[in-house]
């Protein structure tokens, strides 16, 4: 039994080593990171242990490392640009794809019944990737994690220029969808209370009379983009 | 002139040393962190340098350090709890108060005209505090910043038990307001598409027929809290 566990751990460890770029020390953290809540175990009365706590931590780690990377890469871009690009890099869809690219599919544990529920199922890869980042941070510290995120995830797999140049795609994606589905679509943009130098805009998107999303930005275009992105997420466009 | 600048820098440096708990190395970063966009200077054509980029970075740093602190402090609490407590610690109102407590008021640069605009003015302290965190992170690195945030900000100035125990206050604050103002108030809560173990709720708050805010949570109560908190922010209650 011991041997079996040890040999399983060794295989797992080699697999992870390729993914994170270094030898994992506390292997149990990684097993936990790959355990979706549908396959969770009750640890204490009422406390079920899954990868969700690690996902919470990893989300914050990833947020900081990507924020810092963009801050240094674009010294003359304002915070509106940086915030926007960051949110596109770490959005659920991108993280799902990234998780699959590095092979997490092979080691994620989940309950097979989940496949029937598209909404819950579609984010398990991105969630697991965030949890992995959380595990690496606890196991190997800040510097190692920074290097893992940049050298193993962002630089080889994320095309930032492409992400920036597809700037206007959300709005057109919503418009295309509305035409295809024959739904009446309205964009409503208002300038929020502000001074000359601090104009802020709020955009709302309606399908028929129903408000679907609200977005904000430092220009009309950005507010519309923000609202359109949220509409895409909400309506699964 | 040089002497004057040097003596000014020394005073500034001593002041900052007390605030951050160590000697600043790159003093210009801190001057920048304290420069609100209303007092910004144009650095390159079209690029105005203010503390907003540092605020963007500091926001991510603060988010991670507080996330990690709560993760370790509450090993048996789920990510819903951790996310909620964190967002209360780093909300604008709390950060404004924190900034004043540590004395940032004395060194923030802004354009006096701003005082007339309540909306923009009320967040400059919290924004500057985030920018300071960003400056410390660039100047002194991750470990130092972690120690600054925990030992100089969170532990001495933030009463986390109080923050947790005032759990239900937002909803009652909204109700009190509606009674005082004699406005018809409606809470609407629906269960979102989910499985047995992944119930998610959405709460909407209406004043009259107008939807004011939408909140989400893993229980009805949490969704209502979230929506009520947003209503408080929006209506300045």
């Amino acid at each position: 039994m011991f041997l079996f566990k040890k040999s399983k751990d060794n295989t797992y460890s080699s697999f992870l080593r390729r993914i994170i770029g270094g030898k994992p020390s506390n292997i149990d953290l990684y097993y936990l990171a790959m355990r979706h809540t549908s396959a969770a175990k009750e640890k204490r009365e009422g406390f079920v242990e899954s990868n969700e706590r690690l996902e919470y931590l990893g989300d914050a780690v990833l947020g900081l490392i990507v924020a810092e990377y963009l801050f240094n890469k674009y010294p003359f871009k304002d915070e509106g640009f940086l915030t926007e690009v960051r949110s596109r890099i770490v959005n659920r869809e991108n993280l799902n794809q990234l998780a699959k690219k590095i092979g997490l599919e092979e080691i994620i544990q989940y309950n097979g019944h989940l496949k029937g529920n598209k909404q819950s199922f579609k984010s398990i890869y991105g969630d697991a990737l965030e949890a992995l980042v959380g595990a690496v941070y606890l196991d190997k510290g800040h510097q190692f994690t920074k290097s893992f995120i940049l050298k193993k995830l962002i630089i080889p797999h994320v095309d930032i220029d492409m992400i920036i140049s597809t700037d206007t795609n959300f709005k057109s994606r919503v418009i295309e969808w509305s035409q295809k589905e024959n739904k009446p679509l309205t964009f409503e943009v208002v300038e929020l209370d502000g001074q000359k130098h601090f104009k802020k805009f709020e955009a709302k998107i309606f399908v028929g009379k129903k408000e679907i999303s609200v977005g904000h930005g430092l220009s009309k275009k950005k507010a519309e983009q923000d609202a359109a992105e949220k509409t895409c997420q909400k309506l699964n466009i």
Side-chain angles (χ1 to χ4, degrees), chain A:
Chain A
M1 186 63 194
F2 176 71
L3 271 174
F4 174 70
K5 166 93 165 74
K6 204 174 166 190
S7 122
K8 186 185 158 204
D9 282 358
N10 281 340
T11 316
Y12 204 70
S13 180
S14 308
F15 189 84
L16 284 168
R17 193 176 189 148
R18 282 198 302 278
I19 293 180
I20 68 173
K23 193 173 184 297
S25 307
N26 181 355
I27 194 89
D28 290 334
L29 269 174
Y30 299 86
Y31 282 122
L32 179 61
M34 292 303 113
R35 193 186 301 143
H36 184 259
T37 179
S38 61
K41 293 171 186 166
E42 188 161 297
K43 196 177 177 184
R44 269 163 69 135
E45 208 177 314
F47 179 71
V48 178
E49 198 169 34
S50 73
N51 66 0
E52 291 188 340
R53 279 172 46 89
L54 286 173
E55 180 195 336
Y56 149 89
L57 183 63
D59 171 78
V61 175
L62 194 63
L64 169 58
I65 303 302
V66 176
E68 186 181 359
Y69 176 69
L70 296 173
F71 183 92
N72 292 322
K73 189 175 165 78
Y74 300 102
F76 297 108
K77 290 288 190 179
D78 68 20
E79 79 299 343
F81 172 88
L82 301 172
T83 303
E84 209 172 305
V85 175
R86 181 175 70 152
S87 83
R88 282 182 201 175
I89 293 176
V90 301
N91 80 18
R92 199 53 37 187
E93 187 46 37
N94 237 338
L95 293 187
N96 276 336
Q97 285 176 14
L98 202 46
K100 287 178 190 169
K101 276 183 193 160
I102 63 170
L104 289 195
E105 255 176 317
E106 293 182 45
I107 50 171
I108 292 174
Q109 294 181 289
Y110 60 88
N111 183 325
H113 289 115
L114 199 64
K115 281 197 168 170
N117 184 322
K118 275 194 181 168
Q119 200 61 30
S120 299
F121 191 69
K122 74 174 183 182
S123 69
I124 69 166
Y125 301 110
D127 295 350
L129 177 58
E130 286 183 336
L132 175 65
V133 170
V136 174
Y137 183 77
L138 291 178
D139 189 35
K140 314 285 285 179
H142 179 78
Q143 268 311 317
F144 183 96
T145 312
K146 186 170 165 177
S147 157
F148 157 55
I149 292 173
L150 298 180
K151 293 184 186 157
K152 293 287 189 172
L153 301 177
I154 305 297
I155 295 168
H157 296 298
V158 178
D159 185 343
I160 296 182
D161 292 332
M162 209 267 286
I163 283 177
I164 293 169
S165 69
T166 55
D167 194 39
T168 53
N169 272 5
F170 289 111
K171 191 177 173 188
S172 43
R173 214 196 280 177
V174 175
I175 294 171
E176 271 170 33
W177 168 87
S178 75
Q179 288 167 344
K180 205 173 131 196
E181 301 281 330
N182 205 16
K183 305 263 190 193
L185 185 73
T186 323
F187 284 76
E188 195 183 288
V189 189
V190 292
E191 190 180 328
L192 296 178
D193 182 34
Q195 286 201 338
K196 200 181 157 203
H197 295 293
F198 322 103
K199 279 188 182 168
K200 283 197 178 171
F201 296 87
E202 181 172 278
K204 289 183 177 180
I205 295 178
F206 297 82
V207 174
K209 286 184 178 169
K210 192 173 185 271
E211 182 186 310
I212 305 297
S213 67
V214 183
H216 295 94
L218 298 173
S219 70
K220 283 188 183 179
K221 195 177 152 193
K222 283 183 183 170
E224 282 188 337
Q225 268 310 114
D226 185 35
E229 187 173 355
K230 285 173 185 161
T231 293
C232 288
Q233 283 166 1
K234 236 173 180 172
L235 303 181
N236 234 330
I237 296 174

